[in-house]
Amino acid sequence: MESVVKVFAFMLLVSQASVRKLNAQTSEMQADRARRDMAIRWPAAYDPSVAPVFSHNELLIHADCHRIFARLSDVTAWPSWLVIVKDVSNETPQKTGKGALYRLKIFNSPIQSRIVEFEADQRISWIPFGADETETHHGHYHAWRFVPQAGNCLVITEETGIGPGDRKNPSSGSHLMHKAHELWLDSLRYISEP
């Protein structure tokens, strides 16, 4: 009987830790939603108010927005400074801005993304596309905005996810996305600040 009680107590402790972790991830997503940048433009299907997964990150980088935007918009150079990305190829070499299609691996997962918004030094966004170049409708929309601030730049990035996996575990997906964006912003700062 004593061993059954110990097993039950252990299972209760483990489940309480899981609930605390889930609550923390849910709180993080709620905080991200509260900080949402209303100046970011979203396709209707990916709007944060309807997407199950959402992440907001921002960082003041001590460099001008032109320099930072140039680093981020050079997608083929990402593997040289962003450890989560590799094998980038521009499938539309004649394009480098809006409409450019890239194949790459993020966290070793192959994706194909098209830049759908490109305003030099201000905004860039992309969306995953399928092999037939139609929107996947189960992917993510990733938006960036660059706000000049007295010689520095506030870099804001937000992403939504609307796929089956996102609906299955939105808090965990948002948490992982948030952490990846922290790394992305820190790496961008590292290569951008003089």
Side-chain angles (χ1 to χ4, degrees):
M1 180 68 173
E2 185 178 322
S3 63
V4 170
V5 171
K6 286 181 181 179
V7 168
F8 179 75
F10 176 75
M11 290 173 51
L12 184 61
L13 286 173
V14 169
S15 68
Q16 287 175 338
S18 296
V19 167
R20 279 194 299 275
K21 181 179 177 183
L22 179 61
N23 287 340
Q25 291 172 349
T26 300
S27 295
E28 179 182 66
M29 185 169 55
Q30 290 169 343
D32 281 355
R33 286 187 190 280
R35 290 190 305 269
R36 176 182 170 190
D37 182 352
M38 298 308 283
I40 289 180
R41 303 172 192 139
W42 297 95
Y46 292 93
D47 188 281
S49 62
V50 297
V53 169
F54 176 74
S55 175
H56 167 97
N57 296 74
E58 60 183 62
L59 182 65
L60 182 67
I61 298 179
H62 302 292
D64 64 64
C65 290
H66 174 76
R67 178 184 180 97
I68 300 163
F69 185 90
R71 299 285 197 273
L72 185 67
S73 63
D74 185 2
V75 179
T76 56
W78 288 358
S80 69
W81 59 268
L82 186 57
V83 69
I84 63 173
V85 175
K86 66 181 185 177
D87 301 336
V88 177
S89 65
N90 184 345
E91 300 299 302
T92 52
Q94 71 283 8
K95 293 183 181 180
T96 56
K98 186 174 180 176
L101 178 67
Y102 294 91
R103 291 184 195 279
L104 61 148
K105 289 183 181 175
I106 297 182
F107 291 114
N108 248 359
S109 295
I111 64 167
Q112 179 175 255
S113 285
R114 183 176 306 282
I115 295 178
V116 294
E117 183 178 37
F118 188 95
E119 293 178 21
D121 306 339
Q122 297 176 41
R123 301 171 182 272
I124 187 169
S125 301
W126 50 82
I127 194 166
F129 275 76
D132 61 354
E133 296 195 22
T134 59
E135 192 176 323
T136 61
H137 292 296
H138 60 273
H140 289 224
Y141 188 89
H142 195 166
W144 295 75
R145 201 163 77 84
F146 302 80
V147 183
Q149 295 199 343
N152 300 312
C153 188
L154 178 64
V155 181
I156 302 164
T157 184
E158 294 184 348
E159 186 170 352
T160 58
I162 63 169
D166 300 312
R167 294 181 201 297
K168 185 176 180 182
N169 195 348
S171 295
S172 180
S174 293
H175 175 71
L176 294 173
M177 191 185 309
H178 188 92
K179 291 299 181 188
H181 292 173
E182 282 179 356
L183 174 63
W184 208 320
L185 285 168
D186 285 339
S187 300
L188 189 57
R189 175 177 52 192
Y190 179 77
I191 62 150
S192 299
E193 288 185 349

